[in-house]
Amino acid sequence: MLRVALTGPESTGKTTLSRLLAEHYHTVWAPEYARHYLEERGPNYTLADLEEIARGQLAAEAAAAAAAARLGQPIIFCDTDLLVIKIWSEHAFGHCPDWIQRQVQVQQYSLVLLLGVDLPWEPDPLREHPNHRQYFYDLYQRELREQFSNFAEISGTPSQRLEAACFHVDALLSHRRPAAADSAYLAGPPPDETIPFL
């Protein structure tokens, strides 16, 4: 199973692009668990909340992978990843729990799309740092380089972002040898499937 993570600062279009990529490749995507969690409990959070969010994000990714496998799809898209939670935790609380840091190190994605800050800021009750997006972008970029991640920087208009993302995903898929389990993917789109939050 190929897993593509979309990461980066707030208000850079991660959710929209994740959904569009899943539609384009006729597969499923793992929504950002933090939004679901904070919409239910309010915008104030503790370090313990971030740990619950991290566990929820991992569960959402596992559910997406299981759903894609049932559909015979070779790829899923993940709206945010634990790197987001690591950087969020370090900024808000000065450190990140050890288990999250270890998970960031061992959790490998086939491709990471780092979304740029050239889209207009869209206010949202759950967003916090409209004037620090470049600062956070630089942190993401540094972390991905230090991890030797396979990542691509995505910028431009929404349509340009989708085109650029598809270019990198197509390259990823072209290097994957088709298997019997991929027959449904190669044959055409399956029915829509959404991933419930756990």
Side-chain angles (χ1 to χ4, degrees):
M1 179 66 65
L2 300 175
R3 295 186 307 145
V4 177
L6 284 78
T7 197
E10 298 173 296
S11 194
T12 52
K14 295 186 291 292
T15 298
T16 298
L17 187 55
S18 296
R19 176 178 53 79
L20 291 175
L21 286 169
E23 291 175 356
H24 180 80
Y25 291 98
H26 313 303
T27 189
V28 295
W29 61 291
E32 179 187 16
Y33 185 76
R35 177 161 293 277
H36 168 76
Y37 185 94
L38 296 175
E39 283 176 347
E40 283 196 340
R41 293 165 177 79
N44 298 319
Y45 54 86
T46 66
L47 185 58
D49 288 317
L50 291 191
E51 292 196 71
E52 284 302 307
I53 289 168
R55 293 185 185 96
Q57 188 64 37
L58 291 175
E61 293 185 20
R70 288 194 302 271
L71 295 169
Q73 302 305 303
I75 190 168
I76 63 167
F77 297 93
C78 304
D79 175 8
T80 77
D81 57 6
L82 290 200
L83 179 57
V84 170
I85 297 172
K86 176 181 182 292
I87 289 176
W88 183 9
S89 178
E90 290 173 343
H91 179 78
F93 300 105
H95 70 283
C96 176
D98 289 343
W99 75 266
I100 295 179
Q101 295 194 57
R102 289 194 300 270
Q103 189 67 30
V104 168
Q105 293 298 319
V106 303
Q107 188 175 28
Q108 296 296 316
Y109 292 94
S110 309
L111 173 66
V112 178
L113 301 177
L114 173 58
L115 273 60
V117 299
D118 52 334
L119 289 180
W121 172 269
E122 293 187 5
D124 183 302
L126 299 180
R127 291 176 177 158
E128 301 178 288
H129 304 292
N131 300 316
H132 295 85
R133 288 193 297 167
Q134 186 62 53
Y135 166 77
F136 284 109
Y137 183 90
D138 293 341
L139 289 180
Y140 285 105
Q141 185 187 66
R142 185 186 70 195
E143 290 268 0
L144 290 168
R145 285 176 173 167
E146 289 177 352
Q147 293 172 21
F148 299 101
S149 299
N150 178 31
F151 78 98
E153 298 177 72
I154 303 295
S155 60
T157 65
S159 61
Q160 289 171 332
R161 287 168 181 244
L162 178 59
E163 182 179 4
C166 287
F167 172 83
H168 292 288
V169 174
D170 287 345
L172 180 66
L173 288 168
S174 72
H175 287 88
R176 182 182 189 277
R177 293 180 61 187
D182 297 343
S183 58
Y185 173 80
L186 297 172
D192 289 340
E193 177 154 346
T194 56
I195 304 302
F197 287 111
L198 303 178

